Amino acid sequence: FEPTVLEGEAGQSLTLEATNEGEEEHNIKIEDQDIDEDFEGGDEGEVEVTFPDSGTVVFFCKYHQDQGMRGALTVSS
């Protein structure tokens, strides 16, 4: 994931543009927002996310989280 930490205002909506540049299936998952989108190799897509009221919400690839594919939406102070 690039960038891995996104900053925004509380409640702000954001469209994440995803491009799977590899051949393996990848995913964007945000448990707190019921987001669970798969992207096959070469796929492109968009995911609508919302910054939390405060603090940080984690997003990750459910297939490769242990390999460091994770990031966060954090409310800027």
Side-chain angles (χ1 to χ4, degrees):
F1 295 133
E2 291 179 40
T4 56
V5 177
L6 304 171
E7 292 186 13
E9 297 179 15
Q12 177 184 350
S13 293
L14 178 70
T15 301
L16 298 180
E17 295 180 358
T19 302
N20 183 346
E21 296 175 348
E23 295 180 13
E24 292 184 49
E25 183 176 23
H26 291 288
N27 172 275
I28 295 177
K29 184 170 179 97
I30 304 177
E31 292 175 341
D32 294 347
Q33 298 183 20
D34 294 324
I35 294 171
D36 190 355
E37 291 288 329
D38 289 340
F39 298 92
E40 298 291 333
D43 279 357
E44 296 182 4
E46 296 180 343
V47 177
E48 292 289 325
V49 300
T50 304
F51 285 88
D53 291 333
S54 63
T56 300
V57 169
V58 175
F59 60 88
F60 56 92
C61 174
K62 69 182 180 184
Y63 306 116
H64 304 103
Q65 181 177 359
D66 293 342
Q67 297 172 12
M69 294 190 78
R70 56 184 169 267
L73 304 172
T74 188
V75 175
S76 50
S77 46

